[in-house]
Amino acid sequence: MATTYSANDEKKGNNLFLTLVRFRELSIMIIILLLVILVSIRNPAFLSIENFRDILLNISILVIVALAQTMVIITRGIDLSVGSMIGLVAMMVAFVTVSFPEMSPLVAVLLGMAIGSCLGAFNGFLITMGGVPPIIATLGTLSIYRGLIFVYSGGQWVNSYEMPDGFRALAKGAPLGIPNIILIAAVVAVLVHLFLNFTRPGRDIYTIGSNPDAAKVAGVNVTRTTFMVYVISGVLCGLAAVLWASRFESAQTNTALGFELQSVAASVVGGVSILGGSGSVLGVVLGAFLLGIIENALTLVRISPFWQLAAQGLLILTAVIVDSAISRRLQRFGGES
Amino acid sequence: MTSKQSLGDFFKRWEWLLVLLIFLVTIVNARLTPYFLDTRNLMRATSDFMELGLMMLPMVFIIITGNIDLSVASMMAMCASLMGWLHMQGTNIWVAMAAALLLGLLAGFLNGYLVARVKLPSLVVTLGTFAFYRGMAYALLGDQAARGYPESFTFLGQGSIGSIRFPFSAVLFIIFAVIFSLILYKLKFGRYLYVIGNNEEAGFYAGVNVVRTKLLIFMMSGFMSALAGIVLAARFGSTRPDIGTGLELAVITAVVLGGVSISGGSGTMIGAILALVLIGEMRFGMGLINIPGQGQNIVIGFLLILSILIPHVGRELTSGNVKVNKAMVGKTAVALIMIALFAIFFFWSRTLLIA
Amino acid sequence: MNDKIPVIRMRHVSKSFGGVHALKDVQLDIFSGEVHALLGENGAGKSTLIKVITGVHQPDEGEIDLNGERVYFNNPREAQHQGIAAIYQEPSLFPDLSIAENILVGRQPLRGGRVSWGQMNKEAGALLKRLGVDLNPRTKARNLSVAQQQMVEIARALSVEARVLIMDEPTSSLTSNEVDELFRITKQLRAEGTAVIFISHRLEELFALADRVTTLRDGEYVGTREMADVTTEGLIQMMVGRKLDDLFPKQAVEIGEVVLEVDHLSVNGAFKDISFKLHAGEILGMAGLVGAGRTDVARSIFGVKPATAGEIKIDGETVEINSPQKAMALGIGYVPEDRQNHGLILPMTIGDNVTLPMLDTYATKGWLNPKKEKAAAVEGVQKLEVKAYGIEQKAAELSGGNQQKVVLAKWLSTNPRILILDEPTRGIDVGTKAAVHGLMSNLASQGMAILMISSELPEVLGMSDRILVMREGLLTKEFDRSDATQEKLMMAATGTVEAALP
Amino acid sequence: MKKISALLLLVLMIGVLAACGSTEPAAAPTEAPAVAEEAAPAEEAAPAEESGSKTYVFVPKGLGIPYFDTANKGAQEAAAELGVAVTYTGPATADATEQIQVLNALIAQGVDGLSISANDSDALVPTGKDAMESGIPVVSWDAAIAEGGRNAHINQADAEGIGVVQVEMVSDLIGGAGQIAILSATSTAPNQNEWIEYMKTELEKPEYADIELVTVVYGDDEDEKSYNEAIGLMRTYPDLKGIISPTTVGIAAAARAVQDQERVGEVFVTGLGTPNQMREYVKSGAAPAFALWNPADLGYLSIYALNAIATGQIEGKPGDTFEAGKLGSYTIAEDGSVLLGAPTVFNIDNIDDFDF
């Protein structure tokens, strides 16, 4: 999947298969387009620039975390602890910023990423050195990290009035005309794309997910790469946590509760195979965008709040089924003898 | 391959380890608090875990086949909500209950169909229905709570038997635990579960009806979730659409702690039941010494990880496959240093605001 | 390069897994510019030895010298850096990656610090061209045939500029043209000074290619010979440790009634219009190249992939077989080609594997009866002389030959009237092979109808009463036992014009 | 050698776990008390075992919510005055199932009284009954346990009063005409649902004829969800003039959303909130006025009521009267509830007088 764009840089569209693969992201685009058309007929306010800015604002954090989740899923793992990591880092960073109000927001970001990397390292350690399956290790740290938030704060929240202005402006400020948080998410997406496609460690991630045994035999350092992926997941969650605390101007014991399932949903809707080995940044960004649009649209077309969750679940389910149907057909076209 | 073998051997011993742990926890609890070894108290605590237990039974089946069902708690809420909704419309409670069970079967069928026939990964399917079913619960009841169940019905959740007040829900659990154990060990259906978990394709070639088997276990899961929802509604005397939020992770935790391999193919029913008892005892014991829920979660989280980690390290030690390996020690050291740094920062920074 | 110093020199190498010796005091000398065959029955330790050389396993004892220098590989990476490359029996490609990346995995060319896809495709294309393979380097490995995958593996091995190239049964899934191609490349490499370690169960291949041969038996070193000095019998004796009387003990049997009749059977995209009759007591051989559709025919008869057109008749009655259960109920058994994935459930016990298809029979009123089950398993295992500690042993721990015996025991326990054997002796050592052939002959003489698919022509010729040949999804030719020869079969299978016949 | 390195690895692992989990030593239940200390540093010291002195437990809907922490302060104040011990413990999340587990453990310990804010008014009835049968008096506060499951309920303000005051506030803010919406907590929250009912009734009165309630949405008492819902409201209803959020999480999120969307002065937020949380928005004009009772007083009163019942001063029957320290004397009403008083309205004039 990810090889697509780059391969196309070289020679354009001379290969039927490549065009079809590109079609795979197209399928999400088509779903998005249909949804946009339908919703804007019901409520023209949907098409306003402000509304799209809101949608982008809302999905920025999800994009960052879903990209982290994607890298983990490509290696055939899963990181269920992302929500708890965000909560814990948000709380710790919030505590520090409240204690040192004059601290630069940039330091807060770096601090959050550093704390996140430690949490991710613990996950990676359990998985690579301890032989604990990813789903179990991160299910355990889901509880542990969430519990640590409470241990840490003793149940206190950090509220918006306690936070320094500089920190609050971190996510919301828009010195370049576009809110920082959207810019940061976009930069992360580009960096992850470059990392996955144009560095050896990035390619190793796909290699491991595609065939772990063969990767080991082929001389890929599976342990180190896997460890690294969980650390990256922690780092990106740390970044997301700081942005979260800044955007919502609070750190609570239940911050980002249940976010792990949202991030997995965004990845899966974005065409990342839960069986590992494939997935692209563009797909995941589109997947998160689709989820954002669904949530936004359900409010705008005034669906009863009681039906919103059901509709959301149904749409996600449909997206996954449609996507798998399309990709299965693609594989047949792809020339299976 | 050899690791699989010793894994199997290990799990034969795993149940004994659980028994030992339960024994230990009992002693410690009894020493820490005089209230622990009190029949009445134990019975009261028992009824808190029966819904979890009922949903755990089919989850053992599902995980043995290498699948997972994240939608159990949502199905539970949806079915209980349907029952409550019907009851409020004036339907006879027993009819409503039957409808809830039927809906459970249907919900399980949808999961099973998508997994077995459409061949989507169970994690993806049940992640979708996790949201969908929970949403249906809200759609049914909205901001209402269904209440006013007759006493004959609430007996299912609140009733007890004998002078020691043995909860009726526990009787229900025992009956189903026996049934599910018999299915697993005494019917070919049970053997098929292990076959599917180990090598689905070879099973298919040997005449195992893989599709039907998978469909059935997901339907069982739906049915038992509905039953758990009914018991919970009876225990509460009311139904709200948000009941049992997050319970799916507790169910999976119990199953994995019970020694069922998350990648499928191995595990026992008795192990899962023992794990349920262990978790129940530990939570009750910690509750008695007023450890808040978050603290309990940390302990259970570590227990879950250690239950896999310690046997793994033990195996590495005994198999002699561990090498003097600079890289390995290096990585361990890096992880260790990072975690140590985190710990230092954790304790230092919290002193800033909490005096 | 000095021939006196071997590229690889191994002495006293031992390795055990969980207390069981896989290698015991093994020695090996490989010189550059030679093709060195490694011979032994399944379980003799060939694969373990290779994995020690490539750094997948680390020896418990003993030493390895590379060009006279002591080495110790902690992992495959270190071995690769020293110029050791391997092609394993099972293709180990990355289905989600492109061919180019598969070839250059872990060594993607960098330009200015970033992976250069153009460079990568160019390098891979050049390698493929050198191999004479026409493949687009951008194609994903998922879409390749087995043979093409094998070629990519070879290209990968070439790309590391290997000093030592190890090939573990590279020919088992190749057609003869592809085998020729492989041999050509191998010889070319030898001429360039590469040391090649070659493993194959097909002795004729060794004679065609190898310079020297080292034999292992039960994890121990037996000896090294010049290929020119040995005979087939000699090799077999070294391998088995005794003389083998008869590899194809086919008894003459009276052919009975038609049991199975296949009429214009088709599966879209796999095969078309297949018609044949199978009689009681008959062994019907089915020859053809890999990918000719033979396995698809077997699978559709067994209901794994039901036919899209045509009829199957059993005892003259048309039946519809849409699942293996149905086929089993009709008395059909199928020993699949892929033993590890389709034949056995490796992590489960021998007993569980043997009784699986007929669990109902071992149940009383629906409840499984462990005693009956055990008795049946023990009986099946004993009848086939499976070498194991007991029926509680895991199938994964058995050697290939014994695994195949368990698969046979499993299917015989269903008392089939029609038995389909798909590559029944692939990857099995010579001793077990003879035993399997003996068993087939016996079963046929008891009136069982056997359809045998095999890519080994001597086996087809030696065991079959009649032989069908398939090519590209069509039935091209039928031979009687008496007038079939290796050449005729080959021509029918490859579609060489009739005029070429002598 | 191998064994040594393997051992080394094991030691490292244990070291790691010890380093990370030094306060929560995992599986070993023997060390569990250490967790208790660390896990609840805000919690008061364990119940004193002095003879004669009673130990009550003050149970919130969920731990880690400032509103309940503030209430606990009042409860502790009352405890000090009465010379009793009050423990503060509850479920990790605001969930009835978990709350019942906590309560069962408390009942098993035979505490002297329970003061509970219920996650589910019906679900807690059997548990409450069980407690009372075991001789443990039960008082609910903030969110009631249904009758039959408690001796008395301490009402922060009567539901109708809460509903009315919020409608009055919003009417004042938007000048008596225009579209308004309600941003509630979870759709199942009994308090909020009751208040919303009263608001709807109140809005039917002729003086509010020009006010249109367009919708009720739910932020689930999660900051992020509430924030997004509030933005969604403004987007969906461009003419929206007012948002009532009868929950402390929702009102702050809504006010911030108005600020972030730069709609201050066009959309007004009101409802129930705490002064500290809302100070900024009162000053900015996003939420010029809001109401709340003092949660500390609520906790304070509930402990006095509980103590009165537990010590046998009153039986908890309607008409019983008891003294509640600084708050004066209270009488149990016909439905078994005790009314704290009218809610305080906070605005720019008085906001700086409060700190909670």
Side-chain angles (χ1 to χ4, degrees):
Chain A
M1 177 108 350
T3 60
T4 323
Y5 329 108
S6 28
N8 274 354
D9 292 344
E10 308 299 327
K11 252 180 206 144
K12 291 212 163 61
N14 61 342
N15 184 321
L16 175 74
F17 184 69
L18 291 184
T19 354
L20 285 172
V21 168
R22 278 213 320 186
F23 181 64
R24 192 141 154 55
E25 265 107 23
L26 216 63
S27 79
I28 309 173
M29 290 188 195
I30 290 169
I31 297 176
I32 290 176
L33 210 67
L34 278 178
L35 208 66
V36 167
I37 292 169
L38 283 176
V39 175
S40 47
I41 291 172
R42 282 281 313 260
N43 188 344
F46 179 76
L47 274 182
S48 68
I49 293 174
E50 293 84 46
N51 193 45
F52 270 85
R53 201 196 58 171
D54 281 350
I55 294 176
L56 290 179
L57 276 173
N58 281 344
I59 64 162
S60 293
I61 290 175
L62 180 61
V63 164
I64 295 172
V65 180
L67 285 174
Q69 187 70 266
T70 298
M71 283 189 262
V72 175
I73 292 177
I74 291 175
T75 65
R76 299 197 176 181
I78 193 163
D79 192 344
L80 294 178
S81 70
V82 289
S84 299
M85 284 199 282
I86 293 172
L88 183 53
V89 175
M91 184 62 83
M92 290 175 77
V93 170
F95 260 56
V96 174
T97 47
V98 170
S99 311
F100 302 98
E102 63 290 344
M103 188 176 79
S104 153
L106 195 67
V107 177
V109 170
L110 293 176
L111 181 67
M113 289 164 75
I115 301 171
S117 72
C118 294
L119 299 176
F122 185 58
N123 282 337
F125 176 75
L126 291 173
I127 291 158
T128 56
M129 306 305 255
V132 185
I135 191 168
I136 294 175
T138 55
L139 184 61
T141 52
L142 164 93
S143 306
I144 294 170
Y145 295 161
R146 181 63 63 184
L148 283 179
I149 303 174
F150 187 79
V151 173
Y152 185 77
S153 76
Q156 282 186 40
W157 290 4
V158 178
N159 289 307
S160 89
Y161 65 88
E162 297 168 83
M163 289 183 178
D165 288 338
F167 183 73
R168 291 196 287 184
L170 176 64
K172 287 182 190 150
L176 303 174
I178 302 171
N180 285 338
I181 190 166
I182 298 178
L183 281 179
I184 294 173
V187 168
V188 168
V190 170
L191 285 179
V192 172
H193 174 75
L194 292 177
F195 172 69
L196 282 179
N197 288 292
F198 295 104
T199 68
R200 279 193 190 155
R203 297 313 299 165
D204 286 350
I205 292 176
Y206 285 96
T207 310
I208 291 171
S210 199
N211 188 344
D213 294 331
K216 201 174 276 176
V217 173
V220 173
N221 194 333
V222 175
T223 317
R224 190 175 65 194
T225 309
T226 311
F227 182 77
M228 175 192 74
V229 164
Y230 285 93
V231 173
I232 293 177
S233 173
V235 170
L236 289 182
C237 286
L239 173 64
V242 177
L243 295 177
W244 189 299
S246 165
R247 172 160 154 76
F248 298 112
E249 296 179 7
S250 70
Q252 308 177 351
T253 45
N254 63 353
T255 292
L257 192 70
F259 206 62
E260 56 279 350
L261 295 182
Q262 262 192 64
S263 68
V264 174
S267 303
V268 168
V269 170
V272 177
S273 164
I274 202 86
L275 306 172
S278 75
S280 74
V281 171
L282 179 62
V284 175
V285 171
L286 288 173
F289 191 57
L290 180 59
L291 291 188
I293 287 186
I294 290 175
E295 199 176 338
N296 179 280
L298 287 175
T299 316
L300 283 186
V301 299
R302 302 185 191 179
I303 288 189
S304 145
F306 304 121
W307 281 94
Q308 280 186 12
L309 187 60
Q312 216 174 334
L314 199 61
L315 281 168
I316 293 173
L317 207 57
T318 315
V320 170
I321 294 170
V322 167
D323 188 63
S324 88
I326 291 174
S327 68
R328 228 168 265 179
R329 186 146 317 157
L330 277 181
Q331 242 171 52
R332 220 167 297 154
F333 276 126
E336 220 175 16
S337 53
Chain B
M1 287 309 146
T2 43
S3 73
K4 268 257 158 85
Q5 144 96 59
S6 44
L7 207 69
D9 284 350
F10 163 72
F11 283 134
K12 277 178 204 145
R13 297 199 305 265
W14 181 243
E15 284 77 34
W16 291 110
L17 197 59
L18 283 172
V19 170
L20 189 75
L21 273 174
I22 290 173
F23 192 66
L24 269 173
V25 171
T26 309
I27 291 177
V28 170
N29 279 347
R31 284 201 49 181
L32 279 179
T33 151
Y35 312 111
F36 183 75
L37 284 182
D38 174 293
T39 337
R40 183 81 200 282
N41 288 344
L42 281 176
M43 291 306 143
R44 200 182 279 127
T46 303
S47 67
D48 287 345
F49 292 93
M50 289 306 105
E51 297 92 16
L52 184 65
L54 288 171
M55 289 194 285
M56 184 194 75
L57 299 173
M59 188 68 91
V60 172
F61 283 13
I62 290 178
I63 294 185
I64 284 179
T65 63
N67 287 290
I68 203 158
D69 188 351
L70 293 177
S71 70
V72 284
S74 300
M75 287 195 284
M76 168 174 141
M78 176 173 71
C79 297
S81 296
L82 176 76
M83 181 180 70
W85 183 77
L86 285 174
H87 177 64
M88 290 198 308
Q89 307 298 308
T91 315
N92 177 294
I93 186 67
W94 303 107
V95 176
M97 189 174 125
L101 291 172
L102 195 69
L103 180 66
L105 282 174
L106 262 176
F109 177 81
L110 178 62
N111 282 336
Y113 184 85
L114 291 174
V115 172
R117 276 250 183 255
V118 188
K119 299 201 188 319
L120 293 171
S122 53
L123 187 77
V124 174
V125 169
T126 57
L127 186 65
T129 54
F130 160 83
F132 177 52
Y133 294 154
R134 176 68 68 183
M136 288 309 293
Y138 279 99
L140 278 164
L141 282 181
D143 56 0
Q144 314 263 315
R147 54 167 72 89
Y149 296 125
E151 219 159 283
S152 55
F153 172 76
T154 52
F155 181 81
L156 286 176
Q158 297 171 17
S160 57
I161 289 166
S163 55
I164 60 162
R165 296 210 177 192
F166 195 74
F168 179 75
S169 55
V171 176
L172 211 58
F173 172 71
I174 291 170
I175 291 171
F176 276 99
V178 169
I179 293 175
F180 274 79
S181 301
L182 285 177
I183 293 175
L184 189 58
Y185 296 119
K186 297 302 275 180
L187 292 186
K188 71 172 180 180
F189 184 83
R191 182 76 54 84
Y192 285 178
L193 299 177
Y194 289 102
V195 167
I196 292 173
N198 278 312
N199 186 341
E200 187 175 320
E201 256 188 293
F204 177 64
Y205 275 82
V208 175
N209 195 331
V210 176
V211 171
R212 195 183 62 188
T213 309
K214 281 195 194 165
L215 215 75
L216 277 175
I217 49 173
F218 277 97
M219 286 173 76
M220 285 179 189
S221 181
F223 182 85
M224 294 303 285
S225 300
L227 187 67
I230 290 165
V231 170
L232 189 66
R235 178 151 74 92
F236 281 11
S238 73
T239 310
R240 284 170 202 282
D242 61 350
I243 52 170
T245 308
L247 213 53
E248 60 279 341
L249 294 184
V251 172
I252 294 166
T253 301
V255 175
V256 171
L257 192 58
V260 180
S261 159
I262 196 82
S263 50
S266 70
T268 63
M269 188 56 86
I270 189 75
I273 293 169
L274 287 172
L276 179 73
V277 173
L278 179 66
I279 291 176
E281 265 203 330
M282 286 182 65
R283 283 208 182 267
F284 183 55
M286 287 189 282
L288 282 181
I289 49 177
N290 291 331
I291 297 179
Q294 285 94 341
Q296 298 182 16
N297 288 346
I298 293 179
V299 174
I300 301 289
F302 266 110
L303 186 66
L304 179 69
I305 290 173
L306 289 176
S307 77
I308 308 286
L309 187 74
I310 289 178
H312 176 84
V313 175
R315 266 200 308 279
E316 293 282 295
L317 278 172
T318 49
S319 73
N321 280 349
V322 185
K323 282 279 160 308
V324 186
N325 190 327
K326 262 192 293 180
M328 201 169 184
V329 175
K331 274 171 222 160
T332 313
V334 168
L336 183 73
I337 290 167
M338 288 176 86
I339 292 157
L341 283 175
F342 170 78
I344 293 166
F345 185 78
F346 183 89
F347 289 109
W348 169 74
S349 65
R350 71 188 288 270
T351 56
L352 295 175
L353 285 192
I354 296 176
Chain C
M1 220 176 254
N2 189 347
D3 261 10
K4 290 286 187 293
I5 301 174
V7 183
I8 288 183
R9 182 175 180 277
M10 298 174 87
R11 287 292 179 271
H12 313 298
V13 169
S14 295
K15 173 78 188 172
S16 57
F17 296 104
V20 180
H21 271 286
L23 290 178
K24 214 158 125 191
D25 200 18
V26 169
Q27 62 177 77
L28 187 67
D29 289 302
I30 312 280
F31 295 95
S32 66
E34 77 163 341
V35 175
H36 194 114
L38 204 54
L39 197 60
E41 295 188 278
N42 284 98
K46 297 175 310 244
S47 295
T48 312
L49 183 62
I50 285 174
K51 286 184 175 161
V52 166
I53 299 175
T54 55
V56 175
H57 294 320
Q58 287 72 39
D60 297 337
E61 281 165 44
E63 55 229 33
I64 307 172
D65 292 350
L66 198 70
N67 284 329
E69 275 179 48
R70 184 65 38 92
V71 289
Y72 185 92
F73 300 135
N74 284 306
N75 52 49
R77 234 171 316 132
E78 298 180 13
Q80 264 184 21
H81 286 308
Q82 299 285 342
I84 296 175
I87 301 163
Y88 294 96
Q89 200 170 344
E90 317 285 336
S92 53
L93 294 187
F94 306 96
D96 302 294
L97 305 184
S98 71
I99 291 179
E101 196 166 11
N102 264 290
I103 292 174
L104 294 165
V105 63
R107 293 167 288 110
Q108 292 93 341
L110 301 178
R111 190 185 287 156
R114 53 177 265 174
V115 173
S116 164
W117 289 84
Q119 186 68 22
M120 187 150 80
N121 288 330
K122 215 155 76 189
E123 280 182 31
L127 278 164
L128 291 170
K129 206 168 172 192
R130 186 171 149 203
L131 287 172
V133 188
D134 183 30
L135 284 173
N136 186 337
R138 295 185 185 84
T139 312
K140 290 210 176 175
R142 190 184 290 291
N143 303 308
L144 299 179
S145 72
V146 179
Q148 287 171 326
Q149 291 183 26
Q150 197 69 267
M151 285 299 159
V152 174
E153 293 253 12
I154 293 166
R156 182 197 292 170
L158 287 181
S159 74
V160 288
E161 303 290 339
R163 282 191 284 180
V164 179
L165 176 60
I166 300 166
M167 299 197 230
D168 190 355
E169 297 217 40
T171 56
S172 61
S173 47
L174 298 189
T175 63
S176 66
N177 282 344
E178 289 161 344
V179 169
D180 290 346
E181 196 56 38
L182 177 67
F183 280 14
R184 185 184 61 74
I185 296 160
T186 312
K187 285 172 183 165
Q188 185 188 329
L189 290 173
R190 172 171 62 186
E192 290 164 9
T194 311
V196 179
I197 301 178
F198 193 88
I199 297 177
S200 174
H201 279 293
R202 300 182 184 171
L203 298 181
E204 64 273 16
E205 289 179 356
L206 302 188
F207 283 106
L209 190 65
D211 302 304
R212 296 196 304 148
V213 57
T214 292
T215 312
L216 297 178
R217 190 196 311 142
D218 298 330
E220 291 183 57
Y221 175 77
V222 179
T224 304
R225 301 273 189 284
E226 291 289 328
M227 212 60 207
D229 302 343
V230 290
T231 60
T232 309
E233 289 74 29
L235 282 181
I236 291 179
Q237 204 171 344
M238 276 175 82
M239 221 169 26
V240 186
R242 64 191 154 91
K243 241 183 120 176
L244 212 60
D245 304 322
D246 194 356
L247 200 51
F248 305 112
K250 173 76 177 105
Q251 308 166 16
V253 176
E254 192 164 329
I255 307 295
E257 294 287 303
V258 172
V259 184
L260 172 75
E261 189 180 345
V262 173
D263 194 15
H264 296 290
L265 205 65
S266 303
V267 165
N268 288 343
F271 60 87
K272 219 167 117 184
D273 261 350
I274 302 288
S275 305
F276 63 85
K277 289 179 179 141
L278 178 63
H279 302 79
E282 183 182 36
I283 297 180
L284 180 60
M286 206 179 228
L289 302 178
V290 172
R294 298 167 304 166
T295 297
D296 300 285
V297 172
R299 284 187 188 162
S300 98
I301 296 174
F302 194 62
V304 172
K305 200 165 187 204
T308 47
E311 293 192 329
I312 298 172
K313 289 182 192 161
I314 288 183
D315 297 330
E317 272 184 49
T318 305
V319 289
E320 199 195 328
I321 304 178
N322 48 22
S323 70
Q325 292 104 288
K326 193 78 193 287
M328 280 162 59
L330 291 165
I332 305 176
Y334 175 50
V335 175
E337 177 188 19
D338 187 342
R339 193 187 311 135
Q340 311 235 330
N341 289 317
H342 299 153
L344 284 174
I345 295 147
L346 293 174
M348 293 180 85
T349 67
I350 298 172
D352 285 342
N353 270 294
V354 171
T355 57
L356 180 60
M358 297 301 282
L359 277 175
D360 283 327
T361 350
Y362 315 122
T364 11
K365 290 177 186 159
W367 302 106
L368 292 180
N369 184 334
K371 268 189 203 152
K372 272 196 202 175
E373 235 185 284
K374 195 177 171 196
V378 168
E379 190 198 322
V381 165
Q382 277 173 354
K383 209 172 2 181
L384 284 162
E385 298 171 341
V386 177
K387 272 183 222 149
Y389 303 127
I391 58 163
E392 291 303 316
Q393 197 175 358
K394 301 250 178 350
E397 295 161 18
L398 300 177
S399 70
N402 278 309
Q403 285 182 349
Q404 188 71 337
K405 283 181 175 174
V406 173
V407 181
L408 283 164
K410 164 167 122 177
W411 285 108
L412 294 181
S413 79
T414 66
N415 286 321
R417 298 168 55 223
I418 303 161
L419 186 61
I420 308 172
L421 300 168
D422 199 346
E423 303 284 2
T425 61
R426 170 185 289 177
I428 290 185
D429 56 78
V430 184
T432 317
K433 211 170 192 170
V436 170
H437 290 151
L439 178 75
M440 283 168 63
S441 183
N442 254 328
L443 292 170
S445 68
Q446 288 161 27
M448 194 181 284
I450 295 178
L451 176 65
M452 179 188 71
I453 297 169
S454 173
S455 298
E456 266 189 76
L457 294 179
E459 180 173 75
V460 176
L461 291 165
M463 293 307 299
S464 315
D465 293 300
R466 278 188 304 143
I467 298 162
L468 302 173
V469 184
M470 280 186 75
R471 179 167 65 88
E472 289 171 6
L474 297 170
L475 204 55
T476 52
K477 205 90 176 149
E478 184 180 328
F479 294 97
D480 209 58
R481 180 181 178 81
S482 50
D483 53 46
T485 66
Q486 211 150 342
E487 290 73 26
K488 284 185 188 169
L489 288 184
M490 215 49 229
M491 267 173 239
T494 53
T496 324
V497 281
E498 295 284 329
L501 277 172
Chain D
M1 276 302 262
K2 284 171 219 152
K3 300 249 157 145
I4 292 172
S5 68
L7 256 170
L8 182 75
L9 184 68
L10 185 70
V11 169
L12 280 175
M13 283 177 176
I14 290 168
V16 166
L17 289 175
C20 181
S22 57
T23 54
E24 43 289 319
T30 36
E31 299 174 54
V35 182
E37 272 170 34
E38 283 300 330
E43 180 185 306
E44 299 307 306
E49 287 290 324
E50 296 158 34
S51 56
S53 116
K54 300 257 181 192
T55 301
Y56 303 130
V57 186
F58 193 67
V59 183
K61 281 186 184 175
L63 293 173
I65 300 171
Y67 172 83
F68 294 114
D69 290 348
T70 310
N72 180 42
K73 282 183 190 143
Q76 298 303 337
E77 189 187 336
E81 288 173 18
L82 288 166
V84 297
V86 169
T87 311
Y88 180 60
T89 189
T93 53
D95 170 65
T97 323
E98 219 185 304
Q99 193 171 34
I100 289 172
Q101 279 177 30
V102 171
L103 290 174
N104 277 343
L106 293 171
I107 297 168
Q109 293 173 56
V111 296
D112 299 311
L114 292 168
S115 174
I116 306 164
S117 173
N119 276 305
D120 184 323
S121 60
D122 304 296
L124 262 64
V125 171
T127 314
K129 263 190 199 153
D130 203 359
M132 292 191 292
E133 278 168 27
S134 312
I136 302 171
V138 177
V139 167
S140 61
W141 55 278
D142 177 57
I145 300 177
E147 273 180 73
R150 38 93 175 159
N151 297 81
H153 173 64
I154 313 301
N155 220 339
Q156 48 271 52
D158 69 310
E160 190 176 355
I162 296 175
V164 171
V165 75
Q166 293 184 71
V167 172
E168 279 170 2
M169 285 189 298
V170 84
S171 175
D172 282 351
L173 291 174
I174 66 172
Q179 289 185 337
I180 61 163
I182 296 174
L183 171 64
S184 183
T186 64
S187 60
T188 55
N191 285 348
Q192 274 78 7
N193 286 342
E194 198 184 359
W195 299 331
I196 290 170
E197 279 313 308
Y198 279 114
M199 287 184 216
K200 286 180 179 165
T201 320
E202 183 70 12
L203 282 168
E204 275 163 20
K205 290 189 179 163
E207 60 256 48
Y208 301 122
D210 292 335
I211 297 178
E212 182 199 356
L213 174 63
V214 289
T215 187
V216 181
V217 295
Y218 301 90
D220 291 351
D221 263 353
E222 282 170 30
D223 194 69
E224 179 213 3
K225 179 117 196 289
S226 307
Y227 181 82
N228 289 337
E229 287 292 345
I231 289 182
L233 281 176
M234 286 182 269
R235 189 75 60 226
T236 318
Y237 304 97
D239 299 327
L240 194 72
K241 307 236 340 231
I243 297 174
I244 303 178
S245 183
T247 158
T248 56
V249 178
I251 189 171
R256 200 167 70 252
V258 168
Q259 234 171 37
D260 290 351
Q261 295 282 314
E262 292 169 2
R263 300 284 298 273
V264 176
E266 296 168 36
V267 181
F268 297 97
V269 177
T270 186
L272 306 177
T274 62
N276 279 348
Q277 246 182 328
M278 298 301 295
R279 187 163 290 117
E280 181 189 346
Y281 309 118
V282 170
K283 290 177 180 167
S284 79
F290 64 96
L292 197 69
W293 49 91
N294 188 336
D297 287 349
L298 190 60
Y300 183 87
L301 179 57
S302 87
I303 293 300
Y304 265 95
L306 185 61
N307 188 55
I309 298 170
T311 52
Q313 294 167 30
I314 58 169
E315 278 180 57
K317 290 218 176 77
D320 285 351
T321 302
F322 63 95
E323 287 297 321
K326 64 175 185 185
L327 294 177
S329 125
Y330 283 86
T331 307
I332 299 180
E334 210 42 56
D335 59 352
S337 71
V338 180
L339 190 62
L340 177 66
T344 314
V345 173
F346 302 94
N347 55 35
I348 190 80
D349 303 322
N350 67 359
I351 182 97
D352 285 330
D353 304 337
F354 297 90
D355 181 24
F356 67 89

